[in-house]
Amino acid sequence: MSSAKGWKKWLRVARGNPAPATLSSRYIYILPTRYGVLFACILLGLLIGSINYALSLGFVVTFLLAGMAVISMLHTWRNLAYLVIDSRKPAPVFATEDAVFEVIAKDSRQRARFSIAAHFDDTIPTYADIVTAGESPIRLLLPTEKRGWLKAERVTLFTEFPLGLFYAWSYVALDARCMVYPKPATHHLPLPASPDQGAAGVLNSSSGDDDFAGHRAYQLGDSPKRVDWKASSREQGLLTKQFQGEAQSTLWLDWVATPGADNEQRISQLTRWVLDAHGLKHTYSLRIPGIEISPNNGEPHYHRCLEALALMDAT
């Protein structure tokens, strides 16, 4: 860790849990930029020259520029002060992809803000302007390396508006985390054979689409398209429609039958099979140590399976 990061970690951090964070005066720091230091040296030279040669015009120019610099310092601080910072829930990504955290910067003092920048440590800043009483989203990327929950790092917000002579900054700890799914296997092994593969005929199946066959209680992961919302509006509870149709093979993605040199490779292969089964619109289930997810299909089921794999303890 560099010395700069070493002392910066002791500075105050605005926290937004559970309400959005507000950058009040105690969270804002301000220092001259390198251009600000150079500008101060020039002013000092002008002042010394004006004194030595008793130049009235030199004094006027020197103090005029000094006053301008002082006013710009106030505007730089006001550009960042009392911004309200919040975040939105990030969408899941696969390991090695960039997680996208969306920071919402909102004005709370009825004044427009310009050139507000935000970034995580060691990443490129993203800039945004904010209209009066408005808000602006700032998308920040954070690389991912492994599966599981990825908590957002400390965010630095800064501005050098309007003249670039001063650097005002603040730190915010976001109350956000991103679900990182396992990285899918790159090789495409065929999907495992279903125990009832090849079954034919007509039977009661929750996955058919031909004739309505009745209801059953809603289960987590059921497709919203199959929920009987009319029955729910009649206060009969959440019910899932069942249909009588052609028999469909249920694909079991089983940890025991998954090849792989180690646990992470087996998780990666199961992730690949979940992607393939979802893409082919199969009805599939997942069975891993400690968890068994019932056969189903659709987006909620897809994400439920991937999240189970992401959070699996493979040690």
Side-chain angles (χ1 to χ4, degrees), residues 1-174:
M1 179 180 293
S2 66
S3 59
K5 287 185 179 179
W7 68 266
K8 286 182 178 178
K9 72 179 181 181
W10 298 107
L11 300 180
R12 284 188 291 268
V13 178
R15 301 187 184 278
N17 186 14
T22 300
L23 304 185
S24 60
S25 56
R26 67 191 303 266
Y27 294 112
I28 297 177
Y29 305 92
I30 187 166
L31 284 174
T33 63
R34 67 180 66 180
Y35 301 107
V37 173
L38 177 62
F39 188 76
C41 293
I42 293 173
L43 287 183
L44 181 61
L46 284 174
L47 180 62
I48 293 173
S50 300
I51 293 173
N52 286 341
Y53 297 101
L55 294 176
S56 300
L57 183 59
F59 284 115
V60 170
V61 172
T62 301
F63 289 115
L64 181 64
L65 293 176
M68 183 185 67
V70 172
I71 293 174
S72 77
M73 180 174 64
L74 174 63
H75 280 276
T76 302
W77 181 85
R78 280 169 51 90
N79 198 42
L80 198 61
Y82 297 103
L83 274 179
V84 177
I85 307 299
D86 202 358
S87 62
R88 291 175 180 157
K89 182 180 179 181
V93 297
F94 289 94
T96 71
E97 294 179 346
D98 287 338
V100 181
F101 290 92
E102 194 167 74
V103 178
I104 308 299
K106 181 179 180 180
D107 169 57
S108 64
R109 292 301 173 98
Q110 301 295 317
R111 57 174 180 260
R113 317 297 181 105
F114 302 95
S115 296
I116 301 294
H119 69 91
F120 293 120
D121 289 342
D122 302 322
T123 60
I124 299 174
T126 302
Y127 289 82
D129 295 331
I130 305 168
V131 299
T132 303
E135 63 180 36
S136 180
I138 304 175
R139 291 162 57 87
L140 303 180
L141 304 182
L142 193 61
T144 65
E145 297 179 354
K146 58 183 182 180
R147 60 188 173 87
W149 288 111
L150 175 67
K151 186 170 175 52
E153 297 177 355
R154 184 179 69 173
V155 176
T156 302
L157 287 107
F158 72 89
T159 182
E160 295 179 359
F161 181 83
L163 300 180
L165 299 179
F166 292 93
Y167 174 85
W169 80 98
S170 184
Y171 299 115
V172 176
L174 297 179

